[in-house]
PDB file of all heavy atoms in Angstrom:
ATOM      1  N   LYS R 332     -47.119  54.347  46.213  1.00 95.00           N
ATOM      2  CA  LYS R 332     -48.247  55.039  45.506  1.00 95.00           C
ATOM      3  C   LYS R 332     -48.798  56.177  46.407  1.00 95.00           C
ATOM      4  O   LYS R 332     -49.620  56.921  45.915  1.00 95.00           O
ATOM      5  CB  LYS R 332     -49.329  54.086  45.158  1.00 95.00           C
ATOM      6  CG  LYS R 332     -48.884  53.040  44.159  1.00 95.00           C
ATOM      7  CD  LYS R 332     -50.174  52.211  43.657  1.00 95.00           C
ATOM      8  CE  LYS R 332     -50.918  52.972  42.676  1.00 95.00           C
ATOM      9  NZ  LYS R 332     -52.067  52.171  42.116  1.00 95.00           N
ATOM     10  N   ARG R 335     -46.894  62.155  50.863  1.00 94.00           N
ATOM     11  CA  ARG R 335     -47.006  63.045  52.053  1.00 94.00           C
ATOM     12  C   ARG R 335     -46.895  64.480  51.591  1.00 94.00           C
ATOM     13  O   ARG R 335     -45.890  64.797  50.997  1.00 94.00           O
ATOM     14  CB  ARG R 335     -45.832  62.795  53.063  1.00 94.00           C
ATOM     15  CG  ARG R 335     -45.782  61.433  53.626  1.00 94.00           C
ATOM     16  CD  ARG R 335     -44.594  61.319  54.554  1.00 94.00           C
ATOM     17  NE  ARG R 335     -44.372  59.908  54.883  1.00 94.00           N
ATOM     18  CZ  ARG R 335     -44.879  59.216  55.813  1.00 94.00           C
ATOM     19  NH1 ARG R 335     -45.712  59.825  56.630  1.00 94.00           N
ATOM     20  NH2 ARG R 335     -44.590  57.927  56.044  1.00 94.00           N
ATOM     21  N   ARG R 338     -47.997  71.552  53.598  1.00 91.00           N
ATOM     22  CA  ARG R 338     -48.244  72.915  52.956  1.00 91.00           C
ATOM     23  C   ARG R 338     -48.488  73.919  54.087  1.00 91.00           C
ATOM     24  O   ARG R 338     -49.017  73.603  55.147  1.00 91.00           O
ATOM     25  CB  ARG R 338     -49.452  72.964  52.123  1.00 91.00           C
ATOM     26  CG  ARG R 338     -49.228  72.406  50.701  1.00 91.00           C
ATOM     27  CD  ARG R 338     -50.503  72.441  49.925  1.00 91.00           C
ATOM     28  NE  ARG R 338     -51.340  71.370  50.301  1.00 91.00           N
ATOM     29  CZ  ARG R 338     -51.966  70.579  49.435  1.00 91.00           C
ATOM     30  NH1 ARG R 338     -51.802  70.698  48.149  1.00 91.00           N
ATOM     31  NH2 ARG R 338     -52.820  69.614  49.889  1.00 91.00           N
ATOM     32  N   PRO R 347     -43.004  76.643  60.868  1.00 82.00           N
ATOM     33  CA  PRO R 347     -42.677  75.444  61.645  1.00 82.00           C
ATOM     34  C   PRO R 347     -42.931  74.183  60.911  1.00 82.00           C
ATOM     35  O   PRO R 347     -42.302  73.153  61.208  1.00 82.00           O
ATOM     36  CB  PRO R 347     -43.522  75.625  62.916  1.00 82.00           C
ATOM     37  CG  PRO R 347     -44.527  76.665  62.568  1.00 82.00           C
ATOM     38  CD  PRO R 347     -44.023  77.503  61.468  1.00 82.00           C
ATOM     39  N   MET R 348     -43.826  74.161  59.923  1.00 82.00           N
ATOM     40  CA  MET R 348     -44.044  73.025  59.135  1.00 82.00           C
ATOM     41  C   MET R 348     -42.856  72.718  58.271  1.00 82.00           C
ATOM     42  O   MET R 348     -42.490  71.567  58.107  1.00 82.00           O
ATOM     43  CB  MET R 348     -45.272  73.292  58.225  1.00 82.00           C
ATOM     44  CG  MET R 348     -45.835  72.081  57.556  1.00 82.00           C
ATOM     45  SD  MET R 348     -46.805  70.995  58.610  1.00 82.00           S
ATOM     46  CE  MET R 348     -48.306  72.027  58.763  1.00 82.00           C
ATOM     47  N   TYR R 355     -37.362  65.747  59.757  1.00 80.00           N
ATOM     48  CA  TYR R 355     -37.847  64.385  59.430  1.00 80.00           C
ATOM     49  C   TYR R 355     -36.938  63.591  58.607  1.00 80.00           C
ATOM     50  O   TYR R 355     -36.854  62.413  58.679  1.00 80.00           O
ATOM     51  CB  TYR R 355     -39.251  64.531  58.778  1.00 80.00           C
ATOM     52  CG  TYR R 355     -40.244  63.783  59.510  1.00 80.00           C
ATOM     53  CD1 TYR R 355     -40.793  64.410  60.648  1.00 80.00           C
ATOM     54  CD2 TYR R 355     -40.705  62.553  59.186  1.00 80.00           C
ATOM     55  CE1 TYR R 355     -41.688  63.828  61.383  1.00 80.00           C
ATOM     56  CE2 TYR R 355     -41.644  61.922  59.881  1.00 80.00           C
ATOM     57  CZ  TYR R 355     -42.148  62.524  60.998  1.00 80.00           C
ATOM     58  OH  TYR R 355     -43.058  61.916  61.768  1.00 80.00           O
ATOM     59  N   GLU R 385     -56.220  62.658  41.861  1.00 97.00           N
ATOM     60  CA  GLU R 385     -56.046  61.182  41.442  1.00 97.00           C
ATOM     61  C   GLU R 385     -56.436  61.052  39.981  1.00 97.00           C
ATOM     62  O   GLU R 385     -57.455  61.541  39.519  1.00 97.00           O
ATOM     63  CB  GLU R 385     -56.997  60.407  42.370  1.00 97.00           C
ATOM     64  CG  GLU R 385     -57.152  58.893  42.035  1.00 97.00           C
ATOM     65  CD  GLU R 385     -58.255  58.581  41.055  1.00 97.00           C
ATOM     66  OE1 GLU R 385     -59.380  59.058  41.328  1.00 97.00           O
ATOM     67  OE2 GLU R 385     -58.034  57.980  40.004  1.00 97.00           O
ATOM     68  N   HIS R 408     -64.442  67.192  34.757  1.00 88.00           N
ATOM     69  CA  HIS R 408     -64.589  66.341  35.957  1.00 88.00           C
ATOM     70  C   HIS R 408     -63.623  66.912  37.125  1.00 88.00           C
ATOM     71  O   HIS R 408     -64.048  66.869  38.276  1.00 88.00           O
ATOM     72  CB  HIS R 408     -64.204  64.920  35.685  1.00 88.00           C
ATOM     73  CG  HIS R 408     -64.321  64.159  36.916  1.00 88.00           C
ATOM     74  ND1 HIS R 408     -65.565  63.596  37.353  1.00 88.00           N
ATOM     75  CD2 HIS R 408     -63.497  63.890  37.962  1.00 88.00           C
ATOM     76  CE1 HIS R 408     -65.417  62.994  38.490  1.00 88.00           C
ATOM     77  NE2 HIS R 408     -64.134  63.199  38.919  1.00 88.00           N
ATOM     78  N   GLN R 410     -62.190  69.883  39.086  1.00 95.00           N
ATOM     79  CA  GLN R 410     -62.506  71.313  39.421  1.00 95.00           C
ATOM     80  C   GLN R 410     -61.447  71.809  40.385  1.00 95.00           C
ATOM     81  O   GLN R 410     -61.055  71.169  41.325  1.00 95.00           O
ATOM     82  CB  GLN R 410     -63.843  71.375  40.017  1.00 95.00           C
ATOM     83  CG  GLN R 410     -65.011  71.065  39.097  1.00 95.00           C
ATOM     84  CD  GLN R 410     -65.220  72.065  38.066  1.00 95.00           C
ATOM     85  OE1 GLN R 410     -65.230  73.205  38.249  1.00 95.00           O
ATOM     86  NE2 GLN R 410     -65.252  71.651  36.756  1.00 95.00           N
ATOM     87  N   ILE R 412     -60.100  73.746  43.584  1.00 96.00           N
ATOM     88  CA  ILE R 412     -60.689  74.073  44.867  1.00 96.00           C
ATOM     89  C   ILE R 412     -60.357  75.484  45.326  1.00 96.00           C
ATOM     90  O   ILE R 412     -61.172  76.192  45.899  1.00 96.00           O
ATOM     91  CB  ILE R 412     -60.101  73.010  45.905  1.00 96.00           C
ATOM     92  CG1 ILE R 412     -60.506  71.608  45.561  1.00 96.00           C
ATOM     93  CG2 ILE R 412     -60.413  73.323  47.285  1.00 96.00           C
ATOM     94  CD1 ILE R 412     -59.806  70.453  46.134  1.00 96.00           C
ATOM     95  N   LYS R 429     -57.593  62.596  30.829  1.00 94.00           N
ATOM     96  CA  LYS R 429     -58.589  61.566  31.193  1.00 94.00           C
ATOM     97  C   LYS R 429     -59.602  61.332  30.028  1.00 94.00           C
ATOM     98  O   LYS R 429     -59.974  60.151  29.814  1.00 94.00           O
ATOM     99  CB  LYS R 429     -59.328  61.886  32.496  1.00 94.00           C
ATOM    100  CG  LYS R 429     -60.112  60.791  33.127  1.00 94.00           C
ATOM    101  CD  LYS R 429     -59.175  59.691  33.704  1.00 94.00           C
ATOM    102  CE  LYS R 429     -59.972  58.602  34.384  1.00 94.00           C
ATOM    103  NZ  LYS R 429     -60.415  58.931  35.764  1.00 94.00           N
TER     104      LYS R 429
ATOM    105  N   LYS H1373     -61.202  76.046  52.496  1.00 95.00           N
ATOM    106  CA  LYS H1373     -61.412  75.000  51.551  1.00 95.00           C
ATOM    107  C   LYS H1373     -60.288  74.077  51.521  1.00 95.00           C
ATOM    108  O   LYS H1373     -60.281  73.024  50.833  1.00 95.00           O
ATOM    109  CB  LYS H1373     -61.700  75.602  50.210  1.00 95.00           C
ATOM    110  CG  LYS H1373     -62.982  76.435  50.125  1.00 95.00           C
ATOM    111  CD  LYS H1373     -63.288  76.794  48.655  1.00 95.00           C
ATOM    112  CE  LYS H1373     -63.892  75.693  47.871  1.00 95.00           C
ATOM    113  NZ  LYS H1373     -64.224  76.036  46.468  1.00 95.00           N
ATOM    114  N   ARG H1376     -55.203  70.058  55.726  1.00 94.00           N
ATOM    115  CA  ARG H1376     -53.849  69.498  56.095  1.00 94.00           C
ATOM    116  C   ARG H1376     -54.071  68.033  56.471  1.00 94.00           C
ATOM    117  O   ARG H1376     -54.820  67.803  57.402  1.00 94.00           O
ATOM    118  CB  ARG H1376     -53.297  70.246  57.290  1.00 94.00           C
ATOM    119  CG  ARG H1376     -53.023  71.696  57.099  1.00 94.00           C
ATOM    120  CD  ARG H1376     -52.422  72.340  58.360  1.00 94.00           C
ATOM    121  NE  ARG H1376     -52.556  73.737  58.382  1.00 94.00           N
ATOM    122  CZ  ARG H1376     -51.592  74.575  57.838  1.00 94.00           C
ATOM    123  NH1 ARG H1376     -50.479  74.035  57.289  1.00 94.00           N
ATOM    124  NH2 ARG H1376     -51.788  75.852  57.727  1.00 94.00           N
ATOM    125  N   ARG H1379     -50.409  61.647  57.704  1.00 91.00           N
ATOM    126  CA  ARG H1379     -50.595  60.111  57.722  1.00 91.00           C
ATOM    127  C   ARG H1379     -49.301  59.510  57.957  1.00 91.00           C
ATOM    128  O   ARG H1379     -48.266  60.059  57.563  1.00 91.00           O
ATOM    129  CB  ARG H1379     -51.152  59.712  56.397  1.00 91.00           C
ATOM    130  CG  ARG H1379     -52.643  59.856  56.182  1.00 91.00           C
ATOM    131  CD  ARG H1379     -53.105  59.351  54.877  1.00 91.00           C
ATOM    132  NE  ARG H1379     -52.747  60.290  53.766  1.00 91.00           N
ATOM    133  CZ  ARG H1379     -53.521  60.727  52.884  1.00 91.00           C
ATOM    134  NH1 ARG H1379     -54.701  60.333  52.820  1.00 91.00           N
ATOM    135  NH2 ARG H1379     -53.125  61.554  51.992  1.00 91.00           N
ATOM    136  N   PRO H1388     -43.713  59.820  65.073  1.00 82.00           N
ATOM    137  CA  PRO H1388     -43.264  61.221  65.270  1.00 82.00           C
ATOM    138  C   PRO H1388     -44.150  62.248  64.620  1.00 82.00           C
ATOM    139  O   PRO H1388     -44.270  63.411  64.961  1.00 82.00           O
ATOM    140  CB  PRO H1388     -41.800  61.226  64.662  1.00 82.00           C
ATOM    141  CG  PRO H1388     -41.642  59.930  63.990  1.00 82.00           C
ATOM    142  CD  PRO H1388     -42.669  58.976  64.430  1.00 82.00           C
ATOM    143  N   MET H1389     -44.803  61.696  63.558  1.00 82.00           N
ATOM    144  CA  MET H1389     -45.769  62.539  62.783  1.00 82.00           C
ATOM    145  C   MET H1389     -46.991  62.949  63.741  1.00 82.00           C
ATOM    146  O   MET H1389     -47.447  64.068  63.726  1.00 82.00           O
ATOM    147  CB  MET H1389     -46.303  61.816  61.528  1.00 82.00           C
ATOM    148  CG  MET H1389     -47.027  62.647  60.564  1.00 82.00           C
ATOM    149  SD  MET H1389     -46.035  63.707  59.584  1.00 82.00           S
ATOM    150  CE  MET H1389     -45.239  62.586  58.524  1.00 82.00           C
ATOM    151  N   TYR H1396     -48.391  70.970  67.324  1.00 80.00           N
ATOM    152  CA  TYR H1396     -48.871  72.054  66.475  1.00 80.00           C
ATOM    153  C   TYR H1396     -50.020  72.764  66.981  1.00 80.00           C
ATOM    154  O   TYR H1396     -50.309  73.979  66.773  1.00 80.00           O
ATOM    155  CB  TYR H1396     -49.154  71.462  65.064  1.00 80.00           C
ATOM    156  CG  TYR H1396     -48.318  72.125  64.067  1.00 80.00           C
ATOM    157  CD1 TYR H1396     -46.989  71.826  63.944  1.00 80.00           C
ATOM    158  CD2 TYR H1396     -48.834  73.130  63.216  1.00 80.00           C
ATOM    159  CE1 TYR H1396     -46.157  72.399  63.030  1.00 80.00           C
ATOM    160  CE2 TYR H1396     -48.061  73.694  62.257  1.00 80.00           C
ATOM    161  CZ  TYR H1396     -46.730  73.372  62.179  1.00 80.00           C
ATOM    162  OH  TYR H1396     -45.934  73.960  61.277  1.00 80.00           O
ATOM    163  N   GLU H1426     -61.414  65.254  45.381  1.00 97.00           N
ATOM    164  CA  GLU H1426     -62.019  66.491  45.038  1.00 97.00           C
ATOM    165  C   GLU H1426     -63.342  66.133  44.320  1.00 97.00           C
ATOM    166  O   GLU H1426     -63.466  65.356  43.476  1.00 97.00           O
ATOM    167  CB  GLU H1426     -61.108  67.319  44.068  1.00 97.00           C
ATOM    168  CG  GLU H1426     -61.741  68.598  43.528  1.00 97.00           C
ATOM    169  CD  GLU H1426     -62.410  68.318  42.140  1.00 97.00           C
ATOM    170  OE1 GLU H1426     -61.745  67.833  41.276  1.00 97.00           O
ATOM    171  OE2 GLU H1426     -63.601  68.764  42.021  1.00 97.00           O
ATOM    172  N   ASN H1431     -62.717  69.634  48.729  1.00 98.00           N
ATOM    173  CA  ASN H1431     -62.040  68.480  49.352  1.00 98.00           C
ATOM    174  C   ASN H1431     -63.006  67.667  50.177  1.00 98.00           C
ATOM    175  O   ASN H1431     -63.622  68.158  51.067  1.00 98.00           O
ATOM    176  CB  ASN H1431     -60.852  68.960  50.245  1.00 98.00           C
ATOM    177  CG  ASN H1431     -59.663  69.412  49.487  1.00 98.00           C
ATOM    178  OD1 ASN H1431     -59.140  68.642  48.658  1.00 98.00           O
ATOM    179  ND2 ASN H1431     -59.174  70.605  49.783  1.00 98.00           N
ATOM    180  N   HIS H1449     -64.969  57.360  37.417  1.00 88.00           N
ATOM    181  CA  HIS H1449     -64.022  58.392  37.330  1.00 88.00           C
ATOM    182  C   HIS H1449     -63.035  58.392  38.508  1.00 88.00           C
ATOM    183  O   HIS H1449     -61.894  58.630  38.406  1.00 88.00           O
ATOM    184  CB  HIS H1449     -64.628  59.773  37.229  1.00 88.00           C
ATOM    185  CG  HIS H1449     -63.674  60.772  37.118  1.00 88.00           C
ATOM    186  ND1 HIS H1449     -63.059  61.189  35.869  1.00 88.00           N
ATOM    187  CD2 HIS H1449     -62.897  61.458  38.078  1.00 88.00           C
ATOM    188  CE1 HIS H1449     -62.089  62.023  36.184  1.00 88.00           C
ATOM    189  NE2 HIS H1449     -61.994  62.195  37.445  1.00 88.00           N
ATOM    190  N   GLN H1451     -60.893  56.436  41.095  1.00 95.00           N
ATOM    191  CA  GLN H1451     -60.271  55.181  41.256  1.00 95.00           C
ATOM    192  C   GLN H1451     -59.478  55.079  42.552  1.00 95.00           C
ATOM    193  O   GLN H1451     -58.840  56.030  42.897  1.00 95.00           O
ATOM    194  CB  GLN H1451     -59.325  54.907  40.091  1.00 95.00           C
ATOM    195  CG  GLN H1451     -59.982  54.784  38.709  1.00 95.00           C
ATOM    196  CD  GLN H1451     -60.824  53.459  38.546  1.00 95.00           C
ATOM    197  OE1 GLN H1451     -60.323  52.377  38.942  1.00 95.00           O
ATOM    198  NE2 GLN H1451     -62.001  53.548  38.161  1.00 95.00           N
ATOM    199  N   ILE H1453     -56.439  54.384  44.927  1.00 96.00           N
ATOM    200  CA  ILE H1453     -54.935  54.338  44.710  1.00 96.00           C
ATOM    201  C   ILE H1453     -54.332  53.183  45.415  1.00 96.00           C
ATOM    202  O   ILE H1453     -53.405  52.572  44.955  1.00 96.00           O
ATOM    203  CB  ILE H1453     -54.380  55.694  45.211  1.00 96.00           C
ATOM    204  CG1 ILE H1453     -54.891  56.903  44.316  1.00 96.00           C
ATOM    205  CG2 ILE H1453     -52.817  55.733  45.274  1.00 96.00           C
ATOM    206  CD1 ILE H1453     -54.657  58.257  44.848  1.00 96.00           C
ATOM    207  N   LYS H1470     -71.419  62.078  41.955  1.00 94.00           N
ATOM    208  CA  LYS H1470     -71.069  62.926  40.837  1.00 94.00           C
ATOM    209  C   LYS H1470     -71.892  62.614  39.623  1.00 94.00           C
ATOM    210  O   LYS H1470     -72.325  63.560  38.806  1.00 94.00           O
ATOM    211  CB  LYS H1470     -69.576  62.771  40.440  1.00 94.00           C
ATOM    212  CG  LYS H1470     -68.971  63.787  39.588  1.00 94.00           C
ATOM    213  CD  LYS H1470     -68.850  65.212  40.183  1.00 94.00           C
ATOM    214  CE  LYS H1470     -68.283  66.244  39.320  1.00 94.00           C
ATOM    215  NZ  LYS H1470     -66.821  66.183  39.204  1.00 94.00           N
TER     216      LYS H1470
END
Side-chain angles (χ1 to χ4, degrees):
Chain R
K332 295 188 78 179
R335 297 180 196 272
R338 277 181 285 229
M348 192 75 76
Y355 239 77
E385 173 267 308
H408 181 85
Q410 294 289 313
I412 294 164
K429 192 69 179 280
Chain H
K1373 296 188 77 180
R1376 297 179 196 273
R1379 277 181 286 228
M1389 192 75 75
Y1396 240 76
E1426 173 267 308
N1431 280 308
H1449 181 85
Q1451 293 290 313
I1453 293 164
K1470 193 69 180 280

